[in-house]
Amino acid sequence: MRPPKRDELVREALKIFYREGFHATGMDRLAAETGISKTTMFRHFRTKEELILAVLRLRDEDFRNWLFRRMEEAGPPRAQILAMFDALGEWFASPEFRSCMFIKAASEYPEPQNPIHAQSAEHKRLLYRQLVKIVSAAGATDAEQLTRMLLLLKEGAIVTAHLGHEADPAGDARCAAETLLAAAEI
Amino acid sequence: MRPPKRDELVREALKIFYREGFHATGMDRLAAETGISKTTMFRHFRTKEELILAVLRLRDEDFRNWLFRRMEEAGPPRAQILAMFDALGEWFASPEFRSCMFIKAASEYPEPQNPIHAQSAEHKRLLYRQLVKIVSAAGATDAEQLTRMLLLLKEGAIVTAHLGHEADPAGDARCAAETLLAAAEI
DNA sequence: TCGAAACGAAACCGATCGGTATCGATTGAG
DNA sequence: CTCAATCGATACCGATCGGTTTCGTTTCGA
């Protein structure tokens, strides 16, 4: 039982930051809602920013693990790519869905040199590197370009699902992705 | 010279909110940076939220006017659609670019029933209605679905340009759009 | 059993939050 | 000229911000 409170804090803070936003969530309310004292919080993290960075690290791990595990279950590369959009659709349908944590973080910390912004960008870079392997395996001629296009659809679907009236952004994205794959002879 | 300060305030507040975020910008600092006294600010707007809503109304008008005027210059419907992505590319290249104001607003006010969130959603809806006419004129069989797909690319390009390492998200989006148009026989 | 480390309760810090109150100066239309 | 509306300066309000300090309690391995 070394630092269990630290992990518990990061997990709980993730939920609250995701639900309410970063600036809107004060450390006092964080302490009240998690049941973890402010003293303990600031013993593990010297600043709020450090806590946020830890939260984003956890989210990056959780999200990429979840997404690519879902995709792997689909079988061959082409099916894996399309399965990404099916997974997104399930995510959007959950009542807790409130857009992408990293898009939100970058929105609240807009300067590119900000550590929180930079770490959010890193998440997107890792996603890209992971996806480009699958697109390559699917036999794409220009796998990098196709990957970038597919990720545009993914990001667009996320913000549209959060902001939109649209019935099924994940389905639209999947449909567009099928067209892109067909044009790439995949 | 009826209420010139009001308009000036909204214009200046737009810049600052866009640059720094909503929660991060206090009314005191807004007064200091605009040179308009807090007294006057609160005479025109009863709350910060009312000011933000006015800012978003202005932004909605400005952005849609700018974008669709740019598109009209391109000539026929198909060229107009592609011109949207060229316009985005120019926007991304400007040093003041910091993502989409409405995506940011929805990020900071995540609950759908929040007035700021709702008004941001309304902007996206107006964009959709305007674009679907052009896509229809281009001769699309399912203009609504095609419009939704094109807007996914647009939103994806915006967040990727803000968050990304990517060299040219607008170019990638345009390229994907060309594929979608070709598949729709346009 | 002892000591170090992890924890909590609570008070405290200066700064800033959104918003108000008071009062006097400026201005423009009748 | 007058009167009402617009504006600014300044001080103020209670609440909350991120962060610290103090001190007492719990826990667990050596």
Side-chain angles (χ1 to χ4, degrees):
Chain A
M1 194 198 186
R2 260 298 145 49
K5 288 283 175 181
R6 194 196 132 105
D7 296 0
E8 184 190 342
L9 170 59
V10 175
R11 277 198 311 272
E12 291 299 316
L14 169 51
K15 291 185 204 170
I16 300 173
F17 281 138
Y18 181 64
R19 218 189 315 131
E20 325 244 3
F22 298 97
H23 284 102
T25 305
M27 296 299 273
D28 286 275
R29 198 151 62 84
L30 215 50
E33 287 201 39
T34 61
I36 297 170
S37 72
K38 257 175 80 170
T39 322
T40 300
M41 297 175 56
F42 280 101
R43 199 174 289 122
H44 285 299
F45 302 99
R46 289 190 308 183
T47 63
K48 184 184 184 181
E49 181 177 297
E50 278 191 15
L51 172 60
I52 292 177
L53 289 173
V55 163
L56 292 181
R57 272 190 293 272
L58 175 62
R59 180 62 175 177
D60 169 61
E61 223 185 280
D62 282 357
F63 182 82
R64 293 200 347 267
N65 281 342
W66 168 79
L67 181 61
F68 285 98
R69 230 170 287 234
R70 279 290 176 107
M71 291 166 66
E72 279 170 20
E73 294 169 4
R78 194 195 119 95
Q80 281 190 41
I81 294 169
L82 295 178
M84 177 170 76
F85 299 98
D86 297 332
L88 290 180
E90 293 173 33
W91 182 29
F92 301 164
S94 85
E96 308 90 36
F97 172 75
R98 275 194 171 80
S99 179
C100 163
M101 178 131 233
F102 304 96
I103 293 176
K104 288 158 64 105
S107 294
E108 293 210 42
Y109 303 91
E111 315 86 17
Q113 65 272 28
N114 180 290
I116 295 172
H117 188 107
Q119 190 161 311
S120 299
E122 177 66 13
H123 165 77
K124 300 295 181 191
R125 209 171 300 134
L126 293 172
L127 256 178
Y128 169 80
R129 286 195 206 153
Q130 229 165 323
L131 183 60
V132 77
K133 290 180 194 168
I134 300 174
V135 174
S136 263
T141 312
D142 190 344
E144 299 200 349
Q145 163 127 1
L146 182 54
T147 300
R148 290 197 302 271
M149 292 178 181
L150 292 170
L151 285 178
L152 289 185
L153 291 172
K154 177 227 163 212
E155 305 299 347
I158 291 173
V159 314
T160 302
H162 183 223
L163 209 64
H165 39 311
E166 309 295 353
D168 182 20
D172 292 332
R174 184 193 156 111
C175 185
E178 287 186 76
T179 303
L180 294 181
L181 292 180
E185 290 169 14
I186 291 173
Chain B
M1 194 196 185
R2 258 301 144 45
K5 288 283 176 183
R6 193 195 132 107
D7 295 1
E8 183 191 340
L9 170 60
V10 175
R11 277 198 311 271
E12 290 299 316
L14 169 50
K15 291 185 203 170
I16 300 174
F17 281 139
Y18 181 62
R19 217 191 316 132
E20 325 244 3
F22 298 97
H23 283 103
T25 304
M27 296 299 272
D28 285 272
R29 199 149 62 83
L30 215 50
E33 286 201 38
T34 61
I36 297 170
S37 72
K38 256 175 82 170
T39 321
T40 301
M41 297 175 55
F42 280 102
R43 199 174 287 121
H44 286 299
F45 302 98
R46 289 189 308 184
T47 64
K48 184 184 183 180
E49 182 178 297
E50 279 191 13
L51 171 59
I52 293 177
L53 290 173
V55 163
L56 293 181
R57 271 190 294 271
L58 174 62
R59 179 63 175 178
D60 169 60
E61 224 186 279
D62 283 357
F63 183 82
R64 292 202 344 270
N65 282 341
W66 168 79
L67 181 63
F68 284 99
R69 229 168 291 232
R70 278 290 175 108
M71 292 167 65
E72 279 170 19
E73 295 169 4
R78 194 195 119 96
Q80 281 190 39
I81 294 170
L82 295 177
M84 176 170 76
F85 298 98
D86 296 332
L88 290 180
E90 293 172 34
W91 180 31
F92 300 165
S94 84
E96 309 89 37
F97 172 75
R98 274 195 170 78
S99 181
C100 163
M101 178 129 232
F102 304 96
I103 293 176
K104 289 158 64 106
S107 294
E108 294 209 42
Y109 304 91
E111 315 85 18
Q113 64 271 28
N114 179 290
I116 295 172
H117 189 108
Q119 190 161 311
S120 300
E122 176 66 12
H123 165 78
K124 301 295 181 190
R125 210 171 300 133
L126 293 173
L127 255 178
Y128 169 81
R129 286 195 207 154
Q130 231 165 321
L131 183 60
V132 77
K133 291 180 195 168
I134 300 174
V135 174
S136 263
T141 312
D142 190 345
E144 299 202 348
Q145 164 129 2
L146 181 53
T147 300
R148 290 197 302 270
M149 292 178 182
L150 292 170
L151 285 179
L152 289 185
L153 292 172
K154 177 226 163 214
E155 305 300 347
I158 291 174
V159 313
T160 303
H162 184 224
L163 209 63
H165 40 314
E166 308 297 353
D168 183 22
D172 291 331
R174 185 195 154 112
C175 185
E178 288 187 74
T179 303
L180 295 181
L181 292 181
E185 290 169 15
I186 293 175

